Amino acid sequence: MSVQARAAARTPATQRRGAGGGLGRRRSRRRTKELFWAAVFLLPALIAIVSMRIAPTVSAAVSSLHQGFPGGVLAAEFSGLANYSELFGNDMFRDTVIRTIVFNVIINPLQVAIALIISVLLTRKIVAPNLWRMLVFVPATVPIVGSSIVWGIAFRQDGPINAILAALGGNPQPFLTSPSQAMASIMVVISWIGIGYWMLFLVSGLQSIPDEYLEAAKLDRAGTIRTFFSITIPLLKRPLLFVLVADTVANFVLFVPIQMLTNGGPQNSTTMQMFNAYRTTYTYSSKNLGAAEVMILTVIMLAFVALQFRLLREDRPTRRKR
Amino acid sequence: MTMRHLRPAAALIGVAALALTAACSGSESSGGSAEGGDWSIPDEDPTATVQVLGHQDTEIVQPVIDAFHEAHPDITIAYESVPFDQLNSVLDARIGNQDGNPDVYWADQPRIAALSSRGYTEDLTDQFAELTDAFDSAPLESSSFEDRLWSLPIANSTQLLYYNVDLLEQTGAELPSANPEERMTWEELHDRAQEAVDGGAENGFMFGQMHRYYQLEPLPVSMGGSAGGTGEGNLTPDITSDAWVDSMAFYQSLFTDGLHPTGVTPEQSSDEFLTGSTAYMVQGNWLVPSLAEADFEWGVAAHPSFDGGDPVTPTGSWSLAMSPFSDDKEAAAVFMRWMAIDDGGGYALFLEAPELPATPEGKEAYFARDIFSSDAGQDAAAIIDYETANTGVPRLQTVGYVEFEEILGRAFSDIANGADPATALASATDELTTAWAKYQ
């Protein structure tokens, strides 16, 4: 409590009213001034959010309710939900939606689990932990275009991976040119890039767990696995939730490796919703239909993220009794 | 979940949603037509900068631009190169946003119908009415749509069968005849490619533009199939006939029999042949200049056809189109006229490795180049002249060409990778039907 406030508290109420009015005005002026400067400093960020996030979102939503001749310079007409009914009446689009969901159901827990395992290993007493962490993180520092090119070469029929397979006595694999292997190959590429990145957040989360909890578990004779599931995981929920949500968003909007490595093929086996929306919008010039595809993708992704929040919510803290 | 937890949760969901929609919303077209038509080709050059978008590397086009600057010092050309596969997407984004950049762009001739229907090209009919006699009729037709001129052709093309004489002699194979009347059949070529591979060649045969409709259209058409579409506006897919399925089965056999390399892109194919690894390659007339530097002896024959089928070759090439939203249409028109028409076309005259010109005057200069002076070069010149006059078939003329080329390209790729040709073509038909529904 400030000196003035303490003095005001000692002053009788009748006197305080008059003096408090002056104080209140000063406070109000100060508060207005603070708000003004807060607004000034926040303005660039607000302009950026409105112009680069909110406006395009509203634009996409409005665009998805129109139909017109494909192409950017001819007027589109309001058509209500016609684009949505057209999309859901199309087998190929439904397949793309299912493929995107299946892909995310597999890849997100898998990537987070691998990142978690590596994080746990790298927070144990090992030689040169920073070196290992750096090695795992390095792929995340390479631009995704560069990584895709390198993996494109690695996966070629006459590429190094097949050369190793052949040297070990195995058969060369088609990888990116086989409908049954292309999706798995894309998963390898994005995991190679992503796992090191997500690992950093989890390592930091693991290091923030107080040693007392682990020591207490040890005193209680809890084993490694029991400690991991009863101490580490509950105390790691927040970073885990962040990593899972951010990873999910990244994988739902996956685009570059697909465009560079498979172009959605072979036989559409790697055509995901984001790539499909791009193709509809920019290759086929159907901007309105593309916007509807993006809106559907947004809704599906939000459902996923909401589910993840629900599954990983922290238990309501019980109020301690005095 | 407490409020304390709800807030970051809601924020994250919001950020995720916004990031996603912003990433792919693009800009909504406001519609309306471009301003245009009210301009003319000036007698005196204005001072202006013309922004040009093309698929050629800058260093390849630079000698042409330098020559233009010398002839028209007041007009500056700002050339920007975009990879072939991305050119249409970039154009779509920029012109769709009614952007004044580029003023002029490389337009693939079969896309003229689609580009003009979408309002992406300026109508040049009135301004160039008295200048179109300069062109050969085929490329001029390919640059027009519904009796209006939407672009100026700067090149034409055809395909030839090149072969590596050293490799063939190594295997004791007979050299193909350069006479178009004695062109090889595809069946015969398959056998010869097999012999070459058995004799030690790394690749028996290679298409210069594998998986692309331009290169593969002659296969079904040679067997009696259509160009790929029928009906009003050519908007009914016609790619499941016997001619299409059988010709694609042949295409697949080149890959499954190990005669055709799989990891080579169209951008890399010429270099692959120039390494001396490949016995036969069907590639465009543009390979001739590069062959002057080959360290093996090369020969050339006419494009193959199927046994009992018609001799058919790809044709058409690039045009220059003007954006209806250009800020400098008069200067852009001066540049386009110089590139396509003046003295036979500056593009063909000054390009170091020239493309086949779209004007008779340009063609005379083209065939007089040193690159055609060798015996094999003379054969190439004769075949190019014959094929462009007799066997060239235009690509499918349809407003839905963009989707057609894209979907068919994926189907070709799938077939080469082992998909059943009939199934892949049926699936492509479904995709095309859906994609073309908006034009019906």
Side-chain angles (χ1 to χ4, degrees):
Chain A
M1 193 184 276
S2 69
V3 176
Q4 288 96 328
R6 275 202 298 274
R10 283 197 299 271
T11 314
T14 46
Q15 292 175 25
R16 203 162 59 221
R17 219 171 282 135
L23 196 66
R25 272 199 298 279
R26 274 205 301 281
R27 273 189 188 159
S28 165
R29 269 205 301 278
R30 196 197 300 164
R31 189 164 170 72
T32 310
K33 208 173 172 184
E34 279 175 0
L35 277 175
F36 170 76
W37 284 111
V40 167
F41 284 111
L42 281 174
L43 201 59
L46 289 173
I47 290 173
I49 289 171
V50 170
S51 62
M52 289 192 279
R53 300 292 182 195
I54 296 176
T57 307
V58 173
S59 169
V62 173
S63 176
S64 73
L65 301 175
H66 288 71
Q67 276 187 330
F69 189 82
V73 296
L74 303 172
E77 289 176 1
F78 182 77
S79 61
L81 297 175
N83 284 324
Y84 293 94
S85 61
E86 187 181 313
L87 285 172
F88 283 112
N90 181 343
D91 291 344
M92 199 187 136
F93 179 75
R94 286 202 302 270
D95 288 348
T96 303
V97 170
I98 293 167
R99 191 178 300 118
T100 306
I101 292 173
V102 169
F103 171 77
N104 276 281
V105 165
I106 296 171
I107 192 73
N108 296 316
L110 189 71
Q111 279 190 341
V112 174
I114 295 173
L116 181 59
I117 291 167
I118 294 176
S119 308
V120 170
L121 289 176
L122 295 184
T123 46
R124 293 293 167 104
K125 284 175 186 160
I126 54 168
V127 179
N130 288 334
L131 175 72
W132 292 111
R133 278 175 213 166
M134 190 189 75
L135 287 177
V136 179
F137 184 69
V138 159
T141 64
V142 179
I144 195 163
V145 173
S147 297
S148 300
I149 291 171
V150 170
W151 276 100
I153 295 166
F155 278 138
R156 271 171 59 159
Q157 198 87 32
D158 54 353
I161 296 179
N162 271 332
I164 293 168
L165 279 177
L168 295 174
N171 292 323
Q173 296 298 311
F175 297 120
L176 296 169
T177 55
S178 154
S180 58
Q181 294 185 11
M183 183 70 96
S185 304
I186 294 274
M187 285 181 175
V188 169
V189 177
I190 59 169
S191 298
W192 185 78
I193 299 165
I195 284 172
Y197 186 69
W198 306 123
M199 174 204 73
L200 271 199
F201 296 95
L202 296 177
V203 163
S204 140
L206 285 169
Q207 286 176 334
S208 69
I209 296 174
D211 287 341
E212 298 90 78
Y213 290 104
L214 300 172
E215 281 167 16
K218 202 181 262 179
L219 287 175
D220 287 344
R221 295 187 179 178
T224 312
I225 292 173
R226 178 73 196 272
T227 307
F228 179 74
F229 284 105
S230 299
I231 305 287
T232 308
I233 292 286
L235 291 173
L236 201 62
K237 267 190 179 175
R238 282 195 170 194
L240 258 182
L241 179 62
F242 167 76
V243 165
L244 191 57
V245 170
D247 192 25
T248 302
V249 172
N251 285 328
F252 263 107
V253 299
L254 186 69
F255 177 75
V256 174
I258 293 175
Q259 193 201 26
M260 294 194 66
L261 294 175
T262 61
N263 199 29
Q267 296 170 54
N268 279 324
S269 60
T270 57
T271 299
M272 309 270 219
Q273 265 185 286
M274 187 69 185
F275 179 74
N276 202 42
Y278 169 84
R279 193 153 65 190
T280 305
T281 308
Y282 292 111
T283 308
Y284 301 163
S285 301
S286 295
K287 290 184 170 60
N288 304 111
L289 203 60
E293 289 183 24
V294 169
M295 295 313 293
I296 293 168
L297 174 57
T298 306
V299 169
I300 294 172
M301 192 184 70
L302 286 182
F304 256 72
V305 172
L307 184 69
Q308 288 168 348
F309 272 102
R310 177 133 188 100
L311 288 176
L312 276 177
R313 71 178 170 185
E314 291 182 36
D315 298 330
R316 190 187 293 269
T318 48
R319 199 178 287 273
R320 193 184 296 167
K321 285 180 183 168
R322 284 176 189 275
Chain B
M1 193 183 282
T2 63
M3 278 308 288
R4 198 159 58 91
H5 297 132
L6 258 177
R7 263 188 226 129
L12 259 175
I13 292 177
V15 168
L18 293 174
L20 179 63
T21 45
C24 198
S25 69
S27 65
E28 170 59 7
S29 57
S30 58
S33 61
E35 291 173 17
D38 186 22
W39 57 274
S40 58
I41 306 173
D43 295 329
E44 282 190 26
D45 288 354
T47 302
T49 297
V50 177
Q51 290 167 312
V52 180
L53 190 73
H55 70 105
Q56 299 265 34
D57 287 344
T58 306
E59 57 266 31
I60 291 175
V61 182
Q62 197 58 47
V64 179
I65 294 170
D66 291 344
F68 176 79
H69 284 158
E70 204 170 305
H72 297 273
D74 291 337
I75 301 175
T76 305
I77 301 301
Y79 179 80
E80 186 185 347
S81 173
V82 175
F84 172 82
D85 289 338
Q86 291 166 31
L87 181 61
N88 291 300
S89 304
V90 172
L91 278 176
D92 203 50
R94 292 211 192 154
I95 301 180
N97 287 342
Q98 309 193 6
D99 199 327
N101 178 12
D103 298 290
V104 175
Y105 58 90
W106 257 244
D108 205 1
Q109 284 170 0
R111 295 192 179 218
I112 296 299
L115 291 168
S116 59
S117 302
R118 288 169 189 191
Y120 286 1
T121 50
E122 178 77 5
D123 185 345
L124 307 171
T125 316
D126 298 337
Q127 289 82 359
F128 283 89
E130 290 171 11
L131 299 171
T132 50
D133 287 347
F135 296 112
D136 281 333
S137 58
L140 182 65
E141 199 179 313
S142 301
S143 303
S144 310
F145 179 61
E146 293 182 344
D147 298 327
R148 306 294 293 175
L149 182 68
W150 298 100
S151 61
L152 297 186
I154 51 170
N156 196 0
S157 72
T158 189
Q159 297 280 306
L160 303 94
L161 177 67
Y162 299 89
Y163 54 87
N164 182 326
V165 174
D166 295 353
L167 269 183
L168 298 194
E169 285 181 345
Q170 188 184 307
T171 57
E174 184 190 348
L175 298 181
S177 164
N179 183 354
E181 302 291 344
E182 296 169 15
R183 71 181 69 229
M184 233 192 277
T185 63
W186 281 115
E187 293 86 348
E188 195 181 344
L189 181 64
H190 184 283
D191 294 343
R192 288 195 183 207
Q194 186 69 61
E195 281 170 20
V197 169
D198 294 343
E202 196 175 320
N203 309 312
F205 171 77
M206 182 169 58
F207 278 112
Q209 299 199 2
M210 62 211 71
H211 314 334
R212 285 188 182 162
Y213 170 71
Y214 165 78
Q215 180 105 80
L216 300 184
E217 183 199 8
L219 297 182
V221 175
S222 176
M223 277 194 173
S226 75
T230 59
E232 192 180 342
N234 280 332
L235 285 169
T236 305
D238 182 27
I239 54 173
T240 50
S241 62
D242 288 347
W244 272 82
V245 174
D246 293 346
S247 64
M248 285 303 108
F250 170 80
Y251 182 60
Q252 186 174 56
S253 73
L254 293 171
F255 292 87
T256 50
D257 295 345
L259 308 179
H260 196 302
T262 54
V264 182
T265 65
E267 289 76 18
Q268 299 163 339
S269 61
S270 293
D271 289 337
E272 179 76 13
F273 183 72
L274 288 170
T275 62
S277 63
T278 308
Y280 300 91
M281 177 167 80
V282 167
Q283 178 64 301
N285 48 283
W286 53 83
L287 184 64
V288 178
S290 313
L291 284 166
E293 290 163 22
D295 52 9
F296 56 84
E297 195 186 338
W298 61 280
V300 65
H303 188 279
S305 61
F306 279 107
D307 190 15
D310 297 327
V312 177
T313 54
T315 187
S317 182
W318 291 90
S319 289
L320 284 184
M322 186 191 293
S323 166
F325 306 100
S326 164
D327 302 321
D328 293 294
K329 287 181 183 167
E330 297 193 339
V334 171
F335 173 67
M336 290 169 73
R337 184 187 62 190
W338 182 88
M339 286 282 278
I341 299 171
D342 293 353
D343 301 323
Y347 179 65
L349 290 176
F350 293 98
L351 206 63
E352 198 177 325
E355 294 184 31
L356 182 61
T359 63
E361 191 181 355
K363 251 195 310 201
E364 270 180 45
Y366 175 75
F367 286 130
R369 288 212 183 200
D370 286 347
I371 52 170
F372 291 109
S373 60
S374 67
D375 288 347
Q378 290 284 304
D379 288 342
I383 294 168
I384 292 168
D385 209 21
Y386 180 88
E387 303 286 37
T388 49
N390 297 292
T391 62
V393 284
R395 280 165 275 183
L396 187 68
Q397 291 281 320
T398 172
V399 71
Y401 185 80
V402 178
E403 295 87 344
F404 178 75
E405 191 180 51
E406 165 80 15
I407 292 169
L408 219 51
R410 292 206 304 272
F412 293 147
S413 173
D414 288 342
I415 289 168
N417 287 327
D420 172 54
T423 311
L425 291 170
S427 169
T429 299
D430 289 345
E431 274 193 63
L432 267 176
T433 306
T434 306
W436 278 351
K438 62 203 172 200
Y439 300 115
Q440 306 288 352

